[in-house]
Amino acid sequence: MIGCPKFSALCVFALSAIAFADDFELPVLPETKPVQQALPQDSAGQKQTNDESDYGAPVNFTPIEATSVSETHNASANLPAGVIAKKIPENLNRPLKVGVYIGVKELYLKLEGETIHITPAGNKVKFQGKENAATLDSKEIYGEGNCISIAPTTKELATACYPGHFYVSASKGLINAVNVVDVEDYLRGVVPYEIGKLDSSRFSALESQAIAARTYAYKHFGSRESMGFDVYADTKDQVYKGLQSATPLTDSAVKATAGIVMTYNGEFIIAYYHSTCGGETETLATWERPDLPYLKSSPDLRPDGTPWCSESSYSKWERKFGDKEMETLAKKNAKEAKAKAPDFKKIKDIAIKDTLPSGRILTLAVETDKGKFEVRGDKVRWLFKKGGTILPSSFFRIEHKKGEWTVSGKGFGHGVGMCQMGVRARSAAGQDFKTILTHYYPGITLERFEK
């Protein structure tokens, strides 16, 4: 037990650990894989997101059937045109669990004006203040006012602001901090990072992003139950950093679309989105998975024939690799690109064997002095990985001249679902969120959950 007078907040930690244990107990978290280096941002400041192929196996979803999603609800509130009111299903009427810091070595917490250092002590958690310390099995942490300030460094701690509360635990000598937060508050910390803050002329873009992100979150409820949370707070799912970058306008977009989700035949859609499609979206074939009717390959062009996403700096791009460099990269990256490459010394040729409906690569054939190997779908981007950065997209062509490989492409991200740069332009042109979302996810139904 610690001394209480100078460290009352930590006293609460020690005294309430048992009281809270039965209220919210997460399973022991497994050892996690290191998160890959984030991809570079485009001119809008947004990152490629929701790229399942970046992180290996897809999430195993438990389908939410039409009979269990919700029942038609007689709502008194005015609904946007084409949106059906539904009563929220009981299993979804709970906070979202967000894995904000999973498998980290240390964290810092600001509580009652004091900075507390959080470190693992085996499978326990040590809270160290200026003069006092406590080691607990786990702890629920509630903030002061509307914010919890928790971060991996003291510098980041100064601006950290998370709603809800945190459940902090340890596993195998690492710290896990899960934010338990209302879905609508969670979205306040997603929208600014996933599509940018924008201005009022592109408000429907913010609304579209809020609906897509809300659908994505609900679809993931319980999908990582064995890990103790629903979604990651980075590009493995959706970028979420609490309320530190929320603005009145992004908050308004979340509020204006409160509860609205996308379904298809009564089931939540898998609301993939990406930065820049290059004028043509793609199907799940880029990951060699069965098609879904609402994720089609279709043109995304203005009436004049130019891509809606043309204002992106990734509407066109080019990369060059020398012969020796290309051979080194191919040897190094083949495994990560899921290719069975022989132990070669020379690359004789790299050719596109076949393409997907959009024109993105389905099979890239590499001929070496020891035989051929192939790279499939979106994974072709990993073959060219350099300095931790993969190719912006698989929408490219390649040629070889005078000892140099030139890769010329367009788009940023996997190309599946909603094109965020296209959304921004469509919004500026006056399209509402229903028009935008039904273009990128054809055949969907918009429903609004009400508690």
Side-chain angles (χ1 to χ4, degrees):
M1 184 60 68
I2 57 174
C4 293
K6 294 184 179 181
F7 208 176
S8 58
L10 201 51
C11 258
V12 176
F13 291 166
L15 294 173
S16 63
I18 297 176
F20 283 115
D22 293 332
D23 295 340
F24 185 70
E25 185 172 357
L26 296 176
V28 176
L29 295 167
E31 186 175 5
T32 56
K33 296 179 180 179
V35 175
Q36 292 184 350
Q37 180 173 335
L39 297 178
Q41 295 182 343
D42 70 7
S43 58
Q46 66 212 28
K47 297 179 181 179
Q48 175 194 340
T49 55
N50 294 344
D51 197 337
E52 272 197 353
S53 61
D54 291 13
Y55 300 97
V59 171
N60 292 319
F61 295 113
T62 301
I64 301 175
E65 303 297 341
T67 54
S68 64
V69 169
S70 52
E71 298 177 354
T72 301
H73 184 56
N74 295 321
S76 58
N78 292 326
L79 285 171
V83 180
I84 302 170
K86 299 279 187 166
K87 185 176 180 181
I88 191 167
E90 185 177 346
N91 64 312
L92 301 179
N93 193 13
R94 67 162 174 85
L96 184 71
K97 302 170 189 175
V98 187
V100 176
Y101 300 111
I102 303 299
V104 298
K105 295 181 178 179
E106 62 181 352
L107 289 171
Y108 292 89
L109 170 70
K110 181 73 78 173
L111 199 61
E112 294 188 1
E114 185 166 4
T115 298
I116 300 167
H117 190 202
I118 305 174
T119 54
N123 286 332
K124 294 181 180 292
V125 186
K126 182 179 180 180
F127 298 87
Q128 177 68 61
K130 187 176 181 180
E131 297 180 0
N132 301 278
T135 300
L136 309 172
D137 290 335
S138 60
K139 184 67 194 80
E140 282 185 310
I141 299 173
Y142 291 82
E144 301 159 348
N146 296 321
C147 264
I148 298 175
S149 297
I150 187 169
T153 66
T154 53
K155 181 179 180 180
E156 294 170 272
L157 188 63
T159 56
C161 176
Y162 289 92
H165 69 274
F166 270 84
Y167 182 87
V168 180
S169 61
S171 177
K172 297 184 180 180
L174 295 171
I175 294 292
N176 303 299
V178 174
N179 190 194
V180 185
V181 60
D182 181 82
V183 170
E184 300 303 314
D185 281 335
Y186 162 74
L187 294 173
R188 295 173 63 199
V190 171
V191 172
Y193 292 99
E194 288 294 1
I195 200 165
K197 297 179 183 179
L198 307 185
D199 58 32
S200 59
S201 70
R202 305 192 188 209
F203 187 68
S204 63
L206 297 174
E207 292 179 309
S208 299
Q209 181 64 66
I211 294 168
R214 184 182 293 109
T215 304
Y216 188 95
Y218 276 124
K219 181 70 174 178
H220 281 69
F221 262 53
S223 64
R224 293 191 176 88
E225 186 175 359
S226 64
M227 300 184 74
F229 55 91
D230 301 305
V231 293
Y232 282 96
D234 59 25
T235 54
K236 288 190 288 300
D237 285 311
Q238 303 184 121
V239 177
Y240 166 72
K241 297 184 180 180
L243 305 181
Q244 64 188 55
S245 289
T247 70
L249 201 63
T250 58
D251 279 355
S252 293
V254 173
K255 185 176 181 179
T257 64
I260 298 178
V261 296
M262 294 179 283
T263 63
Y264 188 90
N265 286 343
E267 187 177 321
F268 289 119
I269 73 166
I270 306 175
Y272 289 120
Y273 53 88
H274 59 282
S275 168
T276 306
C277 70
E280 188 94 13
T281 59
E282 188 47 78
T283 68
L284 292 177
T286 193
W287 295 314
E288 299 188 271
R289 297 179 196 160
D291 285 343
L292 289 171
Y294 53 82
L295 293 175
K296 295 181 179 295
S297 177
S298 61
D300 193 26
L301 305 173
R302 294 184 177 92
D304 65 4
T306 60
W308 280 103
C309 58
S310 60
E311 68 180 6
S312 169
S313 61
Y314 286 92
S315 57
K316 291 183 179 180
W317 51 265
E318 184 178 271
R319 302 288 186 272
K320 293 181 180 291
F321 306 90
D323 281 346
K324 292 290 186 183
E325 181 182 34
M326 190 65 246
E327 288 161 0
T328 299
L329 292 176
K331 290 176 185 178
K332 179 181 178 182
N333 298 330
K335 183 177 181 181
E336 194 172 359
K338 306 297 183 184
K340 296 179 180 179
D343 186 16
F344 66 90
K345 292 183 179 179
K346 298 281 187 181
I347 291 179
K348 294 182 177 182
D349 189 32
I350 303 176
I352 297 170
K353 185 176 179 180
D354 48 24
T355 60
L356 294 163
S358 69
R360 289 172 176 81
I361 293 173
L362 175 58
T363 311
L364 191 71
V366 182
E367 183 180 356
T368 77
D369 58 336
K370 298 295 183 181
K372 294 182 178 180
F373 69 93
E374 295 181 346
V375 192
R376 301 275 294 177
D378 199 54
K379 276 296 179 182
V380 298
R381 299 159 63 194
W382 274 257
L383 189 69
F384 300 84
K385 184 178 177 181
K386 180 181 177 181
T389 301
I390 62 176
L391 288 183
S393 77
S394 61
F395 207 163
F396 66 83
R397 299 296 179 260
I398 186 168
E399 66 175 347
H400 185 248
K401 286 184 179 180
K402 297 180 180 179
E404 186 174 63
W405 297 96
T406 300
V407 181
S408 303
K410 52 186 177 179
F412 185 24
H414 46 68
V416 180
M418 188 174 75
C419 172
Q420 292 169 304
M421 291 302 292
V423 169
R424 292 158 66 110
R426 286 175 175 274
S427 179
Q431 295 184 15
D432 61 17
F433 69 73
K434 181 183 177 184
T435 302
I436 291 169
L437 293 173
T438 53
H439 168 77
Y440 291 111
Y441 308 106
I444 57 102
T445 298
L446 290 166
E447 301 181 2
R448 186 171 78 183
F449 284 161
E450 298 181 350
K451 299 180 180 181

